[in-house]
């Protein structure tokens, strides 16, 4: 068992697929109660079913992280159903790529609003609850446990062809997370971010091998660009979802009680080459 997860209450956005699903399943397996969110009811139900079949506790909220009230609804569900809120992992997202000279305002804002806006809304409303619970614990003279907000940035946050919207959002998430870490410190709310490189999910599979859309935006990467990107990775492969879940769970657990404001790059060694 990973220390400091059993008995905790966690919100995971984008939990219907990929990295978010992996995190929700793992936190539940470690004994956390999980409030799982996804835009799509079908994948969300599948995650809830897998958690329940494995003997875990979960509740679901199908909603977009672009909705103004999504953060409040998730935090309220965590407190009402499971009696607290200790961990938030924001993994909802999608791609709507295009070179900047062809990128529309709608395309730019849609991606920024889901990735950066969604992280902001969900983290803000969870933080309000975490801060208040910590304040009450302090007032009662109790020890204030570490609470955690874990956000997902990206290697693309350092710049990537065809991803002006996504890169801007992911760089923004890194800054947002450091501010959360500063404002959360006196309440023992720790905020950390992961900048992943190439994790094998529908977001990074060859576009030609799948037919996955969010709205009208195809998910995946054109095969030629994908092979070029893989070739630049010293480890010469994409990571499995579990290899992204591990570092996220590290930041959700008592293995990392002194890490806050960190941006951990998990990318197969890209910045060494
Ligand atoms: N796969 C990678 O290589 C990689 C690399 C860096 C960062 N990331 C980030 O990791 C996170 C998870 O991505 P993934 O690779 O697991 O992708 P994925 O497509 O497998 O899963 C994303 C999930 O988010 C959900 N979602 C999309 N829009 C949503 C919205 N508005 N509200 C709520 N849910 C929504 C989708 O329905 C889907 O189930 C994303 O933030 C992504 O940007 C992924």
């Amino acid at each position: 068992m990973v220390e400091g997860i059993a008995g905790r209450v966690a919100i995971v956005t984008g939990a219907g697929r990929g990295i978010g699903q992996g995190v929700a399943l793992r936190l539940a397996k470690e004994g956390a109660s999980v409030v799982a969110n996804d835009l799509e009811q079908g994948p969300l139900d599948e995650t809830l079913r897998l958690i329940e079949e494995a003997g875990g506790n979960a509740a679901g909220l199908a909603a977009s992280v672009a909705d103004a009230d999504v953060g409040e609804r998730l935090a309220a569900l965590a407190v009402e159903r499971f009696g607290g809120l200790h961990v938030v992992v924001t993994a909802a997202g999608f791609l709507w790529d295009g070179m900047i000279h062809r990128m529309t305002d709608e395309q730019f804002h849609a991606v920024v609003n889901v990735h950066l806006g969604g992280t902001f809304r969900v983290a803000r409303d969870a933080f309000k609850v975490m801060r208040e619970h910590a304040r009450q614990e302090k007032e009662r003279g109790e020890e204030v446990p570490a609470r955690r907000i874990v956000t997902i940035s990206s290697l693309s946050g350092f710049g990537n062809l065809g991803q002006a919207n996504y890169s801007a959002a992911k760089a923004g998430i890194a800054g947002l997370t450091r501010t959360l870490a500063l404002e959360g410190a006196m309440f023992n709310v720790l905020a950390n971010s992961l900048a992943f490189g190439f994790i094998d999910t529908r977001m990074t599979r060859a576009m030609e091998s799948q037919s996955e859309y969010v709205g009208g935006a195809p998910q995946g990467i054109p095969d030629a660009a994908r092979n070029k990107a893989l070739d630049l990775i010293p480890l010469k492969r994409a990571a499995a979802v579990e290899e992204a879940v591990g570092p996220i769970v590290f930041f959700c657990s008592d293995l990392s009680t002194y890490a806050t404001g960190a941006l951990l790059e998990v990318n197969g060694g890209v910045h060494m080459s």
Side-chain angles (χ1 to χ4, degrees), residues 14-88:
R17 290 187 187 78
I19 298 169
Q21 184 185 54
V23 170
L25 298 181
R26 180 66 188 274
L27 291 177
K29 191 176 165 196
E30 297 291 340
S33 298
V34 176
V35 172
N37 151 266
D38 203 273
L39 182 62
E40 291 180 48
Q41 187 77 57
L44 177 62
D45 286 345
E46 172 65 4
T47 300
L48 296 175
R49 186 184 68 75
L50 290 170
I51 291 176
E52 276 153 24
E53 269 179 18
N57 288 327
L61 179 70
S64 172
V65 295
D67 294 347
D69 63 352
V70 69
E72 276 175 21
R73 293 177 70 198
L74 286 167
L77 185 55
V79 173
E80 281 158 22
R81 186 72 65 88
F82 300 120
L85 178 53
H86 309 96
V87 174
V88 176

Side-chain angles (χ1 to χ4, degrees), residues 153-268:
S153 183
S154 170
L155 184 56
S156 297
F158 298 93
N160 199 22
L161 282 174
Q163 294 195 322
N165 48 7
Y166 185 75
S167 314
K170 291 305 194 185
I173 286 173
L176 168 64
T177 306
R178 285 191 285 270
T179 297
L180 268 167
L182 283 170
E183 296 188 9
M186 66 180 290
F187 301 98
N188 209 12
V189 176
L190 312 180
N192 294 288
S193 195
L194 283 301
F196 290 121
F198 215 127
I199 317 297
D200 182 33
T201 67
R202 76 167 178 171
M203 199 175 266
T204 54
R205 292 196 188 112
M207 233 175 215
E208 294 84 346
S209 74
Q210 64 180 5
S211 188
E212 291 279 335
Y213 289 83
V214 175
Q219 302 302 288
I221 304 179
D223 206 24
R226 192 175 178 279
N227 288 334
K228 238 188 223 169
L230 280 172
D231 199 46
L232 292 173
I233 301 172
L235 290 183
K236 297 292 173 208
R237 63 177 180 88
V241 163
E242 293 66 33
E243 293 175 289
V245 169
I248 293 174
V249 168
F250 166 72
F251 282 132
C252 295
S253 77
D254 283 352
L255 295 175
S256 65
T257 47
Y258 199 59
T260 194
L263 177 67
L264 178 61
E265 294 182 46
V266 178
N267 59 27

